[in-house]
Amino acid sequence: MAEVEKPELVTATDEAALEATFQARLDTETRVEPRDWMPEKYRKFMIRQISQHAHSEYVGMLPEGNWITRAPTLRRKAALLAKIQDEAGHAAYLYSAAETLGTSRDQMLEDLHSGKAKYSSIFNYPTLTWADIGTIGWLVDGAAIVNQVALCRTSYGPYARAMVRICKEESFHQRQGFEIITTLAHGAPEQKAMAQDALNRWWWPALMMFGPHDADSPNSEIAFKWKVKRQSNDDLRQRFVDMTIPQADYLGLTVPDPDLKWNGETGQYDFGAIDWEEFWRVVKGDGLCNRDRLDARRSAHEEGAWVREAALAHAGKKRAAKSAA
């Protein structure tokens, strides 16, 4: 999109004309780039969305990090470490994308640590067994892929480009998780029982990852208008269910939904009602692990202050030496 210069002083009519031009370009599938003029509401909307996504990657390392020292084999430990490292990288890509909109990383982290900013509710559930690590890869990363593939076509360029790489890595994470669950489900009876227990606990939170029904979401209408969102929460959730049930059948595991059944007329699975009271309770900070997650992130940030200070000092010395040369 070509850069649009916004006059220093504009009338309401001028503002409306700029917004009309902006929307017309979105309607032709032209991406917004950092130097383009954009409505202030769009800028704030994208900061909120991208930073929330970054926070989810940042906090999302914690449930799996809990199992690094307890992974059953060296191979599993190495794979888990690599996955957690990927998640840290995803957070870095996304914080950088949000910074192109004029916010700062310090501000975004302050909003997270204060509780002002949100992250995905799925990471407020505990990882009780090794099967939970496999289930996170299979279900949570699987749901993330369904959500995020559509974001590769979102209207803000830096966000869309970051999502291309993130989706490739999430695909690996999903395969890694499914391989763990396959091993357990096809192993000893105790291992299969562990896999079934993890599925029982993570199935419904995974469905909640797609968010509330669009009719109940205050942001869906404007997200569609601005081409930030391409498919509804319910359509994405349905795609995930249709993709995952055959996988559960292959594993010999039972999805914990007595209302689940194949609908021959729609060519899709019908499934039961989601407990939205639980969803909103967790979103508002009353989940099993909300307090622990934020405490861990705040502590890590405070304890890592000396590393950030040392890195800045080193960079300053390098700049000074380069200027003196």
Side-chain angles (χ1 to χ4, degrees):
M1 182 186 290
E3 183 172 355
V4 178
E5 294 289 343
K6 183 178 178 180
E8 291 185 6
L9 296 174
V10 296
T11 65
T13 302
D14 293 331
E15 189 80 19
L18 286 168
E19 290 189 8
T21 300
F22 176 81
Q23 186 62 50
R25 290 180 174 179
L26 291 181
D27 292 340
T28 61
E29 300 294 338
T30 304
R31 278 182 176 165
V32 182
E33 297 298 340
R35 293 183 180 274
D36 295 339
W37 182 87
M38 64 189 76
E40 184 64 12
K41 289 181 180 179
Y42 177 88
R43 187 184 73 84
K44 289 182 177 179
F45 186 94
M46 293 311 305
I47 289 174
R48 174 184 172 278
Q49 166 135 346
I50 299 171
S51 63
Q52 181 172 306
H53 193 165
H55 298 330
S56 298
E57 300 282 358
Y58 183 51
V59 175
M61 295 184 285
L62 294 173
E64 294 171 308
N66 181 42
W67 278 88
I68 291 174
T69 59
R70 296 183 287 166
T73 67
L74 183 60
R75 173 176 172 266
R76 297 295 193 196
K77 186 190 296 288
L80 183 58
L81 279 166
K83 180 184 179 185
I84 294 170
Q85 185 178 31
D86 283 348
E87 306 296 359
H90 297 173
Y93 305 153
L94 293 166
Y95 283 132
S96 295
E99 285 174 321
T100 66
L101 288 157
T103 189
S104 70
R105 194 165 308 198
D106 286 343
Q107 183 61 58
M108 288 184 280
L109 290 175
E110 181 180 330
D111 289 344
L112 172 66
H113 297 155
S114 69
K116 177 182 177 182
K118 303 298 182 183
Y119 56 89
S120 179
S121 62
I122 194 74
F123 299 118
N124 291 313
Y125 291 85
T127 46
L128 304 179
T129 71
W130 175 248
D132 289 38
I133 301 304
T135 304
I136 287 175
W138 172 34
L139 296 184
V140 176
D141 293 326
I145 292 168
V146 172
N147 253 326
Q148 294 172 9
V149 164
L151 290 174
C152 293
R153 298 188 298 114
T154 197
S155 60
Y156 190 59
Y159 189 27
R161 289 188 288 274
M163 291 315 306
V164 172
R165 178 167 181 175
I166 289 172
C167 283
K168 291 178 180 178
E169 293 177 351
E170 292 290 1
S171 179
F172 167 77
H173 299 167
Q174 195 274 343
R175 291 196 298 272
Q176 175 193 358
F178 188 72
E179 195 259 342
I180 291 173
I181 289 297
T182 300
T183 300
L184 293 173
H186 295 165
E190 294 82 1
Q191 290 176 304
K192 184 172 183 179
M194 186 189 298
Q196 181 64 60
D197 174 66
L199 175 57
N200 292 345
R201 287 182 287 107
W202 288 92
W203 175 253
W204 292 107
L207 295 191
M208 295 175 194
M209 284 181 66
F210 296 93
H213 300 302
D214 284 284
D216 301 324
S217 174
N219 300 310
S220 284
E221 183 178 355
I222 194 66
F224 277 115
K225 178 182 178 181
W226 282 335
K227 310 293 185 182
V228 176
K229 192 172 186 176
R230 300 290 183 159
Q231 293 174 281
S232 74
N233 294 347
D234 290 324
D235 286 346
L236 292 170
R237 187 169 16 248
Q238 184 68 59
R239 177 178 297 181
F240 171 73
V241 170
D242 293 340
M243 175 184 76
T244 307
I245 298 305
Q247 297 171 359
D249 291 342
Y250 167 77
L251 293 169
L253 301 178
T254 303
V255 171
D257 181 357
D259 296 323
L260 181 71
K261 62 180 181 297
W262 176 254
N263 186 323
E265 293 184 3
T266 63
Q268 297 175 321
Y269 285 94
D270 295 334
F271 54 93
I274 294 171
D275 183 353
W276 292 115
E277 289 187 8
E278 176 183 338
F279 171 78
W280 289 115
R281 187 171 65 250
V282 176
V283 167
K284 292 175 182 178
D286 195 27
L288 293 172
C289 298
N290 292 62
R291 296 169 188 79
D292 290 342
R293 299 294 186 237
L294 282 183
D295 285 347
R297 287 276 60 112
R298 280 191 290 259
S299 295
H301 189 72
E302 292 166 3
E303 293 169 6
W306 69 271
V307 178
R308 296 190 297 277
E309 292 167 3
L312 288 171
H314 178 67
K317 288 181 179 179
K318 289 184 69 175
R319 283 195 299 272
K322 186 176 180 179
S323 298

